[in-house]
Amino acid sequence: KIQDIRAFSRVEVGTAGKMVCGGDEVTDQILVSQEASGTYPCDPNSDGELCAQLNAEDSPYSVAQMFDSDPATEWKSHCVACDRSQGTGAWVSFQVPDSVEVQCIRVE
């Protein structure tokens, strides 16, 4: 499950030399398009119509839940125990406009 994906304009050195996201948050500028492999509770291999309904922007299960900066919302993949070696992996993708520079992505 993912609560938020946040994008920042640069990477900085934090405490103890740990690299952290810094600069301006540009999350609100990256929403050109967003997709995911499948949303809980649908199986993208058999429930195409249900998946389309769950991924609708106004659905509480939509991919948009990852980009809303609200810790009370979350997105869950269609598989509870995802395993890429077994062909059940999950993925998320989004596009960033050419005019927006993203150097750091934080997944919470």
Side-chain angles (χ1 to χ4, degrees):
K1 90 181 154 178
I2 297 175
Q3 287 183 315
D4 277 309
I5 294 178
R6 298 174 65 195
F8 295 85
S9 62
R10 64 176 194 261
V11 178
E12 299 175 345
V13 179
T15 57
K18 183 179 177 183
M19 303 305 285
V20 296
C21 293
D24 297 326
E25 183 171 354
V26 294
T27 305
D28 61 338
Q29 299 174 45
I30 66 173
L31 300 179
V32 172
S33 71
Q34 53 204 11
E35 295 182 71
S37 55
T39 299
Y40 174 85
C42 77
D43 177 353
N45 298 315
S46 62
D47 297 330
E49 188 174 325
L50 174 63
C51 290
Q53 292 171 359
L54 294 175
N55 282 322
E57 192 170 322
D58 60 348
S59 166
Y61 300 100
S62 84
V63 174
Q65 301 297 327
M66 289 183 279
F67 298 95
D68 65 0
S69 298
D70 182 352
T73 63
E74 60 188 28
W75 172 84
K76 294 180 184 178
S77 71
H78 65 283
C79 50
V80 176
C82 300
D83 185 342
R84 291 182 67 190
S85 68
Q86 299 298 315
T88 60
W91 54 266
V92 173
S93 72
F94 53 89
Q95 292 183 350
V96 179
D98 292 340
S99 61
V100 177
E101 183 173 351
V102 176
Q103 291 189 5
C104 188
I105 301 289
R106 183 166 54 203
V107 178
E108 300 171 346

